[in-house]
Amino acid sequence: MSKTHVTTSINASLHEFLCEPGDTLLDVLRNELQLTGTKEGCGTGDCGACSVTLNGRLVCACLVLAVEVEGMEVGTIEGIGQSDSLDVIQEKFLEHAALQCGICTPGLIVSTKALLDENPDPTEAEARYYLAGNLCRCTGYDKIIRAVMDAAATLGGAKEGV
Amino acid sequence: MSEAREFKHIGQRTIRPDGYDKVTGRANFGADLSLPGMIWGKIHRSPHAHAKILSIDTSKAEAHPDVLAVVTASDFPAIQSETIAVGEGSEDLFDLTRNLLAADKVLYHGHAVAALAARSERAAAEALSLIEVQYEVLPPVLDLRAAMADDAPVLHQDMFTEGYDKKPEKPSNVATRLEAKIGDIEAGFAAADVIVEREFYTPTAHQGYIEPHACTVRYDENGQSMIWCSTQGHFDVRARTAKILDMDQTSLKVIASEIGGGFGGKTTVYLEPVALLLSKKSGCPVKMVMQRTEVFIATGPTSAAKLWVKVGAKKDGKITAMQGRLAYEAGAFKGSPMMPGVMTMFAPYDVANVCVEGFDVVVNKPKVAAYRAPGAPQAEFAAEMLVSELADQLAMDPLELRLKNAAREGTQTLYGPKLKSVGLVACLEAVKNSPHYQAPLGTPQSGKVRGRALASGFWFNMGGQSSVVINMNPDGTGTIVEGSPDIGGSRASMQMMAAEAMELPISRLKPIIADTDNVPFSATTGGSRTTYATGMAVVEAAQKVVQQLKERAAALWNLTPEQVEYADGVVHAKQGDDQLSVREICQAAEKTGGQISGQANINARGAGPGFAVHVCDLEVDTDTGKVDVIRYTASQDAGKAIHPGYVEGQLQGGAVQGIGWALNEEYIFDDQGVMENSGFLDYRIPLASDLPMIDTLVVEVPNTFHPYGVRGVGETSIIPPLAAVGYAVSKAIGAPITTLPCSPPRVLKLIQDKA
């Protein structure tokens, strides 16, 4: 089967790859581009471990065909934080011990960033419902939600200060 | 140790040393390693729950241009029956091999029958359908009642129940029968004023780790084979794989990747020996990653259980007798956690007359694996439900009833020893005084009813073998080399304990999880043993480093080690002003005999038992039967919380797994034994939107065996929720809960039947 050539932006840098029509964005990120920070927990869109953004919209990379991302902007965990400093969300996850095994963490951080981009000042209930698509089996979510609320407060505070 | 001891690092909420990698996506988990020339392995699985294999034809698969190797059970060397330790229990090597690839029979839907490796993941998946297996389908045995019936189809013709004085005349599905007792159970019930009795049922449930099983392996005929995999115990992966493939342990290196959850389910092997066979046959590195469906149908679940329980008490609440009869499903091969169920069932109670009988029963479901305090949640669920019912019958506060009968120092356990200092009473007191327990339950909106209940939990906790080497570097930093896979932040604890013992900043000490070639044997991360046992080895190794630092400084000053002392990273001469920092001593180590390191290879005894008490408020929608937990508090004795954040996390995570088990999680099979809900959409683990915050009350009753007082905390927390939730639902709807989960259809039916 002939492969399709795709040009896309991933974390603001231009990427080209060849894929088969059935390949998912997750397959390509992990196996072709070695961007393994995006995890696979189910392959059916139920767990959120592969959360990425497409043109700013939160999606499961396992439910997106790789050919669909032609000309789009893909955001992954590798694009959050700088090479020498963490994003506030990442810092708050660490400060609050909001991860145990860490497999769901990249997806949760991508989702939290999408949440706070959409709704900078969420209520606890809004945060819980927005993140309901990201399964975590270790923490019981308590510390994750605390980290998210703290990140929102910190970012909000920063905005007020500007 | 002194309870009033001041700590510098222990008890702080440090940033975990592996945190940066985990929040940036850099941490490498089981499926994240690719090797040059690597190919992909996949498993062909049985569509039947019970069938004889008549033939396996792999010729078409082998002829596929992209397929480089196909293996079946006939490719394994001959294996003898042999019991091997696994995590918190044991398993039979012969059964394990048959579970990896079926030989004569398939014993559950999803049982592995053959495996192949191909140039791409897609090609491997497509070629699976080219493997042709002829079956003679047999009637499946799908639950305990069917399995224990006199005329039940027998899964294993060579299984004769063990545990009776006389060997049974015919084979059956009951592998083992066990009875444990103290006192005189009849006399205990004769002395009772009130007796309550009930039978309970808990479903097959899965650990539900988010990371599927995965490995990348490379076979090397010159004794340099390698396995990279997600496991709780890479030394156990090495031991099993080497045994099964008839290799020396030294010819196989196992590297533990970061592990994306295990909860006991990653203490055995499913893929690794098969992958190594495929690598051997193909000559290529092989990667295997399970699909989520495979994780559900072919790995891990814990036992469904049937639990009969009877409790007798005096009018004043003093319990005089506790009796249980427990049957646990083992899945396709013997080895359910029935025995720990028997031993833990009534452990939170100081009662003179106790008798528990247990049965380990095989059924046509996946072989069970350890799951967080294996066996205890089921048995203690039944016991705690009935103790709460007893409290209602006696019109006593359920907490006061538990306090009156609480296990404490000196209590005779069913499993052997008398308890040393334990924290059950302290947990009960903490809950009693908590804002949650003191607050009224509150009034629900119309169409909803509320309930509150509490439950206790007990788990043994384990010690065992751990090895640690602390290598001091020439710049005065240190590397803590350990062999315990870090499943929930244990590196942070090791770093903090080493820093405490060495009186150095944590930033100077880096913990790493070494592979099987680079640290001496360490037992699996399981049994809540890591912070306890590996932590103990860390402290011992650290103390050896400190001793050497003193010796080296003394040698530079022509003094004896007794003439110097160590504090805050500096060695001082007791007399005079001479002092050298750790950095200076390490820099000068070349002159004093070479570099400095401390090693401890221990077998830790004395793991202190862990007790917990949880209280749950919930609300039931009487139109739908849906249950919402609205307030939850978990109290547990940690001995000493090294990193309070991660200790709280264990309490919260265990509580929520237990809530999921109580409210939603269960395997649903059709009448042929095919699992119908093998995905996260239908096997519904708790979501963020399902839950309130989980309040924690960490109690610290030091375990005197550990230098800092640590008890394991990982497992006990999953035990109390089943009955705390289950009985709260009973209270809310005014009808007894006997079967978990309390899913909406089941709860709605109870509400409707009552009306």
Side-chain angles (χ1 to χ4, degrees):
Chain A
M1 198 179 295
S2 68
K3 293 195 171 187
T4 304
H5 179 267
V6 175
T7 305
T8 189
S9 159
I10 301 177
N11 301 327
S13 70
L14 195 66
H15 282 265
E16 293 178 80
F17 58 82
L18 294 173
C19 66
E20 292 189 21
D23 286 343
T24 66
L25 174 59
L26 181 60
D27 294 332
V28 168
L29 287 175
R30 290 183 52 81
N31 299 330
E32 296 296 320
L33 305 176
Q34 306 303 319
L35 292 169
T36 56
T38 305
K39 304 301 179 189
E40 176 162 5
C42 68
T44 51
D46 298 317
C47 80
C50 65
S51 298
V52 297
T53 55
L54 263 191
N55 288 357
R57 179 165 164 246
L58 184 65
V59 296
C60 288
C62 72
L63 297 183
V64 176
L65 290 172
V67 294
E68 292 181 84
V69 305
E70 171 72 36
M72 297 184 89
E73 290 182 2
V74 180
T76 74
I77 184 65
E78 286 88 353
I80 296 180
Q82 305 298 315
S83 60
D84 57 348
S85 70
L86 296 175
D87 185 271
V88 169
I89 297 166
Q90 293 167 317
E91 283 177 358
K92 293 302 175 188
F93 267 64
L94 291 178
E95 282 175 21
H96 286 270
L99 56 146
Q100 286 177 30
C101 80
I103 193 82
C104 70
T105 309
L108 267 159
I109 286 171
V110 169
S111 294
T112 301
K113 188 161 190 318
L115 162 67
L116 299 184
D117 285 348
E118 271 178 48
N119 179 0
D121 187 22
T123 64
E124 182 192 328
E126 285 170 345
R128 285 185 178 276
Y129 277 88
Y130 195 95
L131 299 174
N134 289 83
L135 299 182
C136 168
R137 189 60 158 172
C138 293
T139 64
Y141 304 103
D142 181 300
K143 294 185 186 302
I144 291 171
I145 298 300
R146 289 179 198 278
V148 171
M149 301 306 284
D150 191 4
T154 304
L155 288 165
K159 275 178 205 153
E160 281 165 16
V162 170
Chain B
M1 59 164 288
S2 156
E3 290 185 35
R5 181 164 175 178
E6 294 277 327
F7 291 110
K8 185 156 186 202
H9 301 288
I10 288 171
Q12 302 295 311
R13 293 173 189 257
T14 61
I15 301 298
R16 60 194 282 170
D18 56 325
Y20 195 94
D21 284 353
K22 297 239 160 93
V23 298
T24 55
R26 294 179 195 175
N28 288 311
F29 289 81
D32 293 345
L33 178 70
S34 294
L35 294 175
M38 183 185 85
I39 61 174
W40 292 76
K42 290 278 180 196
I43 303 260
H44 179 95
R45 298 183 181 280
S46 168
H48 306 297
H50 195 192
K52 268 186 201 163
I53 297 173
L54 301 177
S55 66
I56 304 174
D57 182 354
T58 61
S59 57
K60 284 183 188 160
E62 282 162 13
H64 188 290
D66 286 336
V67 172
L68 300 182
V70 184
V71 298
T72 65
S74 63
D75 291 290
F76 285 129
I79 290 283
Q80 301 299 312
S81 184
E82 178 186 344
T83 301
I84 45 176
V86 49
E88 288 152 297
S90 63
E91 66 188 354
D92 185 282
L93 196 62
F94 181 83
D95 290 346
L96 175 61
T97 309
R98 287 289 176 270
N99 196 36
L100 288 169
L101 287 172
D104 311 321
K105 280 173 96 178
V106 289
L107 293 162
Y108 54 94
H109 167 239
H111 196 160
V113 177
L116 58 77
R119 290 184 213 281
S120 71
E121 189 175 18
R122 182 184 306 279
E126 285 170 0
L128 284 181
S129 62
L130 300 175
I131 294 173
E132 293 175 347
V133 185
Q134 300 289 325
Y135 296 99
E136 177 192 332
V137 178
L138 300 170
V141 177
L142 296 176
D143 61 36
L144 289 160
R145 192 181 302 275
M148 296 174 85
D150 283 342
D151 58 349
V154 173
L155 271 66
H156 303 280
Q157 288 300 328
D158 58 351
M159 184 178 284
F160 294 84
T161 309
E162 293 185 11
Y164 289 109
D165 294 339
K166 209 173 118 201
K167 181 179 172 181
E169 286 174 6
K170 57 175 194 169
S172 77
N173 294 319
V174 180
T176 309
R177 179 252 182 197
L178 175 79
E179 187 180 74
K181 54 185 166 185
I182 50 177
D184 180 338
I185 195 71
E186 279 81 24
F189 281 117
D193 298 320
V194 179
I195 293 175
V196 285
E197 176 181 350
R198 206 176 277 286
E199 187 169 274
F200 297 91
Y201 176 81
T202 60
T204 303
H206 198 276
Q207 294 83 349
Y209 31 81
I210 305 300
E211 181 201 29
H213 297 262
C215 64
T216 297
V217 312
R218 182 176 53 219
Y219 181 81
D220 182 284
E221 62 278 17
N222 296 311
Q224 306 288 331
S225 294
M226 182 281 286
I227 293 175
W228 159 281
C229 63
S230 172
T231 178
Q232 292 173 241
H234 45 321
F235 287 92
D236 279 357
V237 171
R238 182 181 71 170
R240 277 162 182 62
T241 306
K243 275 265 189 196
I244 288 165
L245 300 184
D246 195 21
M247 302 166 72
D248 294 329
Q249 291 191 3
T250 192
S251 62
L252 176 59
K253 171 163 80 177
V254 181
I255 306 167
S257 71
E258 295 303 326
I259 172 171
F263 313 106
K266 290 178 182 165
T267 57
T268 185
V269 291
Y270 297 101
L271 298 174
E272 294 83 353
V274 176
L276 207 55
L277 267 185
L278 288 168
S279 177
K280 183 179 182 180
K281 266 201 169 181
S282 64
C284 302
V286 171
K287 179 168 182 166
M288 297 184 83
V289 182
M290 279 197 196
Q291 300 290 304
R292 175 54 54 181
T293 293
E294 294 180 281
V295 175
F296 275 114
I297 66 175
T299 77
T302 190
S303 306
K306 199 170 69 170
L307 314 141
W308 172 84
V309 57
K310 182 176 171 184
V311 175
K314 294 284 199 190
K315 280 190 200 124
D316 68 357
K318 182 66 196 163
I319 296 175
T320 57
M322 302 185 104
Q323 187 175 11
R325 192 183 311 119
L326 318 174
Y328 280 68
E329 290 181 4
F333 300 96
K334 66 180 182 284
S336 72
M338 170 272 285
M339 192 199 284
V342 166
M343 299 306 179
T344 57
M345 183 167 194
F346 300 120
Y349 299 93
D350 183 71
V351 174
N353 308 298
V354 181
C355 180
V356 189
E357 185 180 22
F359 299 90
D360 178 30
V361 184
V362 294
V363 294
N364 290 118
K365 294 183 185 175
K367 166 73 171 77
V368 302
Y371 181 19
R372 207 166 194 162
Q378 295 97 323
E380 296 189 54
F381 159 67
E384 292 298 311
M385 290 292 282
L386 213 63
V387 168
S388 289
E389 191 171 334
L390 176 67
D392 280 348
Q393 287 223 2
L394 293 166
M396 276 184 79
D397 181 300
L399 198 151
E400 294 298 335
L401 177 66
R402 285 173 170 86
L403 262 179
K404 191 177 184 75
N405 294 283
R408 59 195 76 209
E409 188 164 0
T411 293
Q412 174 62 53
T413 63
L414 187 62
Y415 61 93
K418 287 191 172 165
L419 290 177
K420 296 188 165 50
S421 178
V422 292
L424 176 58
V425 169
C427 288
L428 285 163
E429 297 283 1
V431 167
K432 186 177 172 179
N433 298 322
S434 67
H436 180 173
Y437 203 67
Q438 306 247 328
L441 182 56
T443 311
Q445 292 176 334
S446 163
K448 297 197 173 179
V449 288
R450 286 188 177 181
R452 170 183 291 172
L454 62 92
S456 305
F458 160 89
W459 182 246
F460 311 96
N461 294 331
M462 287 171 62
Q465 295 184 71
S466 286
S467 301
V468 169
V469 185
I470 299 179
N471 291 319
M472 296 307 293
N473 302 312
D475 66 354
T477 60
T479 307
I480 306 160
V481 185
E482 52 156 328
S484 300
D486 178 356
I487 203 160
S490 61
R491 284 184 186 90
S493 301
M494 303 309 156
Q495 185 185 46
M496 293 165 78
M497 285 186 274
E500 193 74 41
M502 297 169 73
E503 300 181 51
L504 289 174
I506 62 165
S507 59
R508 298 263 297 273
L509 297 164
K510 181 177 76 175
I512 65 156
I513 317 298
D515 63 52
T516 53
D517 281 352
N518 283 300
V519 67
F521 177 86
S522 293
T524 293
T525 291
S528 303
R529 63 174 293 279
T530 299
T531 303
Y532 176 70
T534 306
M536 198 185 272
V538 163
V539 174
E540 188 178 317
Q543 288 165 343
K544 287 179 179 173
V545 169
V546 169
Q547 180 58 26
Q548 287 176 50
L549 291 166
K550 287 163 70 177
E551 289 168 7
R552 300 302 183 88
L556 287 167
W557 297 325
N558 287 322
L559 297 173
T560 67
E562 291 71 35
Q563 292 172 306
V564 306
E565 56 193 2
Y566 180 83
D568 287 331
V570 177
V571 179
H572 305 261
K574 285 181 183 168
Q575 299 198 333
D577 297 331
D578 283 339
Q579 62 174 50
L580 285 167
S581 68
V582 169
R583 184 170 319 195
E584 289 165 330
I585 298 166
C586 289
Q587 280 169 347
E590 186 182 3
K591 298 175 202 153
T592 57
Q595 295 304 317
I596 294 168
S597 73
Q599 177 162 352
N601 305 340
I602 66 166
N603 186 0
R605 307 288 181 197
F611 282 96
V613 178
H614 292 193
V615 55
C616 172
D617 292 0
L618 52 75
E619 199 166 82
V620 182
D621 184 322
T622 52
D623 291 331
T624 63
K626 182 171 183 285
V627 179
D628 286 314
V629 174
I630 54 175
R631 190 167 185 178
Y632 200 97
T633 300
S635 171
Q636 188 170 326
D637 175 16
K640 178 68 199 175
I642 300 297
H643 190 304
Y646 289 101
V647 170
E648 292 159 1
Q650 289 297 320
L651 273 52
Q652 293 164 332
V656 168
Q657 275 189 321
I659 290 169
W661 198 346
L663 287 183
N664 281 308
E665 296 179 34
E666 64 177 321
Y667 274 43
I668 298 169
F669 293 93
D670 70 10
D671 61 3
Q672 294 305 303
V674 174
M675 186 181 180
E676 294 187 313
N677 60 333
S678 59
F680 277 136
L681 189 61
D682 299 312
Y683 183 95
R684 197 174 177 292
I685 70 172
L687 316 178
S689 53
D690 292 338
L691 295 157
M693 293 296 186
I694 307 295
D695 293 334
T696 58
L697 300 166
V698 176
V699 166
E700 295 184 325
V701 177
N703 172 16
T704 52
F705 286 92
H706 187 278
Y708 301 133
V710 167
R711 294 171 199 274
V713 293
E715 291 169 292
T716 311
S717 53
I718 197 175
I719 299 166
L722 278 67
V725 171
Y727 204 74
V729 175
S730 291
K731 296 286 276 187
I733 65 172
I737 292 291
T738 58
T739 301
L740 295 184
C742 299
S743 53
R746 189 169 283 131
V747 172
L748 187 61
K749 182 162 189 316
L750 287 170
I751 292 169
Q752 288 167 344
D753 287 353
K754 187 171 165 266

